[in-house]
Amino acid sequence: MADMRAFQDEVGRWAAGGSGGDTARELATGLGLRTAVLLEGPSDFAAVETLAARRGRDLAADGVCVVSMGGAMSIARYAELLGPPGLDLRLTGLCDERERGFYERGLRRAGAPQEDFFVCVADLEDELIRALGPARVEEIIRVEGDERPWQTFLSQPAQHGRPRAQQLRRFLGTKKGRKIRYGTLLVEALEPDRVPVPLDDLLASL
């Protein structure tokens, strides 16, 4: 696990313009990596890691590294470093429908297949809320002690008349760290047969 964290940290520095290519290559070889799962941010990272754990998967042992890119606009850089031009790992991951074009261009430029990426309609939070249903998500919010901020959020004029699923999705992004925490909690609450298709397909492909 320490080596995997070291690899993830090294890739982040390399993607930010550091000279970490040789170290990243050495770590990737030592770990026996064959696949990099590219995700937009830490909430997606938390969801994927949580579902893998629920299914008894040790991704590191399977040669799979999950990478949080810090935004969809980084796909071209990460595909270049980790895909065919760089470490030559198989690339897969999740993307949002509205950002599909960025992924297609970035992967094409790196010579990486596009069909290994799985598309969420809005984003993964939206997929999880629809899979659980708004009432179940509100129950989780109450159990987690977030009922008061949730009610305060609902009282805002901008939220009046909006569909509950949209309100929930917006609420999860209103405080730093909340999306990450609920990325784990919502996946933990899923029934085995209710995993959103993009997330389910991603895990099945690894």
Side-chain angles (χ1 to χ4, degrees):
M1 180 61 69
D3 286 342
M4 183 61 79
R5 295 298 183 202
F7 175 76
Q8 291 163 331
D9 291 343
E10 195 64 34
V11 167
R13 286 190 287 269
W14 191 18
S19 56
D22 291 341
T23 302
R25 190 177 299 277
E26 290 174 8
L27 288 167
T29 300
L31 289 163
L33 293 184
R34 57 180 180 81
T35 300
V37 180
L38 302 182
L39 302 171
E40 181 176 343
S43 61
D44 294 350
F45 183 99
V48 170
E49 295 257 292
T50 301
L51 183 60
R54 279 194 61 179
R55 292 183 171 177
R57 295 287 305 276
D58 184 343
L59 295 182
D62 291 339
V64 178
C65 178
V66 183
V67 177
S68 173
M69 300 185 296
M73 302 296 186
S74 299
I75 181 62
R77 177 64 171 160
Y78 277 86
E80 176 187 13
L81 298 182
L82 301 181
L87 301 188
D88 200 21
L89 302 176
R90 173 189 171 232
L91 302 182
T92 186
L94 297 171
C95 73
D96 301 343
E97 179 61 47
R98 67 180 177 276
E99 287 150 353
R100 193 171 190 166
F102 292 113
Y103 279 73
E104 289 176 348
R105 289 189 292 274
L107 293 167
R108 188 184 307 116
R109 195 171 80 181
Q114 300 171 28
E115 59 269 17
D116 289 340
F117 280 75
F118 304 93
V119 182
C120 300
V121 173
D123 54 25
L124 186 54
E125 287 76 26
D126 170 69
E127 297 281 352
L128 291 169
I129 291 166
R130 284 190 287 112
L132 287 164
R136 180 72 177 102
V137 178
E138 287 192 78
E139 180 184 345
I140 294 168
I141 287 171
R142 286 192 294 272
V143 169
E144 288 300 304
D146 286 333
E147 175 71 10
R148 180 173 293 179
W150 169 236
Q151 292 302 323
T152 299
F153 173 81
L154 290 178
S155 70
Q156 297 174 1
Q159 299 307 318
H160 295 173
R162 296 184 72 191
R164 188 61 110 211
Q166 291 183 17
Q167 292 170 332
L168 286 163
R169 178 169 166 254
R170 180 71 186 97
F171 174 72
L172 296 183
T174 56
K175 180 181 178 182
K176 185 177 181 181
R178 184 178 283 155
K179 282 178 69 173
I180 301 171
R181 181 160 62 98
Y182 278 90
T184 296
L185 293 168
L186 298 186
V187 171
E188 288 176 341
L190 287 169
E191 295 296 330
D193 61 348
R194 295 291 295 170
V195 176
V197 171
L199 185 58
D200 193 38
D201 288 348
L202 172 63
L203 263 291
S205 76
L206 300 177

